[in-house]
Amino acid sequence: MSDIVKTFQSGLADGKLLIQSCNACKNKMLYPRHRCTKCHANDLGWVEASGKGTLHSYTVVRAIPPAGFEGELPYGLGIVKLEEGVQLMARLKPGASGDWSQYACDAAVAFARPSPGPGDDRAVAWFKLA
Amino acid sequence: MTSVQPKLSTDARSANDPVFIGVGEIPSGRYPNRTFIGDLVEVASRALADSGLHHDEIDTILLIPCLHSFSDQADLIFSRLVEELGLSKAAKSNFMVHSGGSTSDNAVRIAAGLIASGHARNVLVLQAERWGSADLTEMVTMLTMNGIPKEWEQPSGITFNAIGALITQRYMAESGSTPEDMASVCVAFRKWANLNPNAMYRDKTLTIEEILASKLVSDPIRAKECPMLADGAAAFVMTAAENAKRKSDSWVRIAGSGGCVSHYSLGQEIEAGKLGWKIAADRAYEHSSWGAKDADFAQIYDSYAAVTTIGAEGLGLCPPGEAARWFRSGATSPGGAFPMNTNGGLLSAGHTGVGGGLALLIEGVRQLLGRAEKPRQIEQARRGIIGGSGGSYMDAQVLLLERIEKGDVQ
């Protein structure tokens, strides 16, 4: 596993969402890259995300999951745009109603601890309604 | 985004203008008794007969990949078809081009470049897929394990239906389209499929009510809004205009093309409700002498309804945000003012892997050659727009095709 993957995934395991930051031009990157996508420098560091963002789109997977995800159905997924200007695919926690009916495009969301259960140790960022 | 586009090196009067002269196809669906190589040879033979060429006039075979089997794909790359088609020593080149669902659009660019530059005389482009007879669970797993970033997105449990659903959800939020509006897009395609003897669902009707009564697979997409994996095969032949003139009174040329590669993973698409379509369309229109208002029809990739509505809006075929309601009005259905996906699209003709885009492309060529079966043939079809997309809707590819009559260019 490459260092950028290791650092990002161990951040998630520690409850931190890490964003790559170019030490040359300050460009922020997520997902992490091997060189800066703006200036192509390879002197790259990390900053911790505030965890605040908006939901660009979302879905609830109810059937035909990938192998190994059968025990997690149904589950929420969404594209989250972080206030730092980067974005990522994330798992969404059920809302207060126990499902995902309160989610909407452009809703405010926040980085969260995973819902306890099968798959809660996967290297994926979880978000909840803010 | 203000880069200057290169110009086409040929026009309709150029001897080396690359043109389509024939297409071949066999029915899509579940055909466990057909074989991969047998299907390829059959569509090659049909395309050659349609083009009026003898098989040994083909000097270049351009392969579109299959996704059901790495071993079958290796056979193609290792020139099995050269042997099967009796082209040993006659063929100059046999190779594969691949960009997922947009492969056929890129294959056209490659074939056109080879012909216009003098590296090829007659190019046969072909594809077959065995998805309908393959193990569904195995294919779904294959699609999830390949092309979705293993480091960043596979741990989320994303699926291809979820990718379609994320695009659909955003499109519906931006456009105010209802589930009924989205379902009507699938119904419009089904009406065309009912007129296409090669379509998987040629004999089955579909209604909005049936779609909305089917179970949610990945919100807001329901089971009957997902494409069905199918066996299928298709081929086309391209040559230079000077050769076409000797064989035929009409042919189809490329008036221009445009493309936009916007992302690899859908999690990085900044506009999931728009994708790269407007940029690709603007580039295509700038590249050619005509635009959206001049087209007689369009064939736009439709592995989910929203993929096509987003494409139609980016191409300027209807006002922004109105595509789903435009489909619901019947405008794109048989008898409508602007026919779209007249083979039934992937959603109703069948999802033949990388071949779904190819089937739309050759339907466009067939319409412009005036060779579609009677009830499906668009009268006076002279200009058609082809739109393709590959990967996780990573790109939007636009080809502007036009019919040329021999009398117009002599």
Side-chain angles (χ1 to χ4, degrees), chain B residues 180-320:
Chain B
E180 289 81 2
D181 295 335
M182 299 312 295
S184 78
V185 178
C186 303
V187 171
F189 296 153
R190 182 59 59 90
K191 289 177 180 167
W192 281 111
N194 293 154
L195 302 177
N196 178 10
N198 287 327
M200 184 173 198
Y201 290 108
R202 55 193 168 269
D203 298 324
K204 254 185 138 176
T205 58
L206 182 67
T207 64
I208 291 175
E209 294 71 31
E210 284 167 14
I211 290 170
L212 298 185
S214 64
K215 68 172 186 179
L216 274 168
V217 170
S218 196
D219 305 14
I221 287 183
R222 294 179 180 274
K224 290 195 172 176
E225 294 173 293
C226 297
M228 196 60 82
L229 304 190
D231 301 326
F236 64 88
V237 176
M238 292 186 74
T239 189
E242 61 179 338
N243 301 326
K245 273 178 206 173
R246 292 191 210 115
K247 307 269 182 193
S248 180
D249 292 333
S250 59
W251 51 87
V252 175
R253 73 178 297 271
I254 306 153
S257 86
C260 173
V261 185
S262 50
H263 59 266
Y264 154 53
S265 53
L266 189 65
Q268 294 302 311
E269 172 54 62
I270 58 173
E271 298 177 300
K274 295 193 168 62
L275 306 169
W277 283 96
K278 184 164 189 325
I279 296 168
D282 287 348
R283 288 173 180 165
Y285 296 146
E286 186 196 324
H287 199 222
S288 89
S289 58
W290 53 268
K293 65 179 188 319
D294 306 306
D296 300 310
F297 65 83
Q299 317 281 357
I300 302 178
Y301 203 80
D302 65 324
S303 42
Y304 299 95
V307 178
T308 310
T309 58
I310 292 167
E313 291 176 18
L315 281 156
L317 303 175
C318 64

Side-chain angles (χ1 to χ4, degrees), chain A residues 23-103:
Chain A
N23 291 327
C25 77
K26 304 297 169 205
N27 179 35
K28 300 284 185 291
M29 290 176 289
L30 188 63
Y31 309 128
R33 306 297 180 192
H34 293 276
R35 278 185 180 264
C36 175
T37 53
K38 279 228 161 72
C39 73
H40 279 210
N42 60 0
D43 179 16
L44 307 173
W46 299 88
V47 293
E48 189 174 343
S50 73
K52 292 180 191 158
T54 58
L55 191 61
H56 185 55
S57 191
Y58 66 102
T59 184
V60 182
V61 179
R62 298 183 188 274
I64 327 175
F69 286 82
E70 298 83 354
E72 295 166 51
L73 292 175
Y75 54 88
L77 287 178
I79 303 169
V80 174
K81 293 191 175 236
L82 297 176
E83 65 176 4
E84 288 86 353
V86 294
Q87 60 182 65
L88 75 164
M89 190 69 67
R91 280 287 279 268
L92 302 176
K93 299 185 72 157
S97 52
D99 60 19
W100 292 267
S101 57
Q102 289 159 299
Y103 279 89

Side-chain angles (χ1 to χ4, degrees), chain B residues 35-198:
Chain B
T35 66
F36 179 61
I37 297 296
D39 285 0
L40 285 163
V41 171
E42 181 60 29
V43 294
S45 180
R46 291 185 187 198
L48 285 163
D50 195 46
S51 70
L53 292 185
H54 190 263
H55 68 267
D56 64 8
E57 292 178 90
I58 296 295
D59 57 9
T60 301
I61 294 182
L62 197 51
L63 302 155
I64 294 181
C66 65
L67 300 179
H68 68 270
S69 155
F70 184 76
S71 141
D72 278 350
Q73 182 155 307
D75 273 4
L76 299 187
I77 296 166
F78 277 39
S79 296
R80 177 158 183 176
L81 281 164
V82 169
E83 276 189 18
E84 299 277 354
L85 295 172
L87 294 173
S88 299
K89 301 277 162 76
K92 176 178 179 180
S93 180
N94 170 98
F95 65 99
M96 184 171 280
V97 53
H98 199 346
S99 63
S102 63
T103 301
S104 47
D105 309 297
N106 283 315
V108 168
R109 291 195 180 104
I110 301 267
L114 294 172
I115 291 164
S117 59
H119 287 293
R121 181 181 301 274
N122 300 310
V123 182
L124 171 66
V125 183
L126 74 175
Q127 173 269 352
E129 182 56 71
R130 299 289 298 158
W131 263 6
S133 300
D135 181 277
L136 180 66
T137 309
E138 206 178 292
M139 289 303 110
V140 168
T141 302
M142 180 276 292
L143 284 171
T144 311
M145 301 298 289
N146 295 285
I148 292 173
K150 57 186 85 60
E151 309 93 327
W152 323 122
E153 292 194 358
Q154 282 182 21
S156 73
I158 193 166
T159 69
F160 251 88
N161 284 329
I163 288 169
L166 288 161
I167 287 171
T168 304
Q169 188 87 264
R170 184 70 200 179
Y171 173 78
M172 290 173 74
E174 288 179 3
S175 66
S177 303
T178 65
E180 289 81 2
D181 295 335
M182 299 312 295
S184 78
V185 178
C186 303
V187 171
F189 296 153
R190 182 59 59 90
K191 289 177 180 167
W192 281 111
N194 293 154
L195 302 177
N196 178 10
N198 287 327

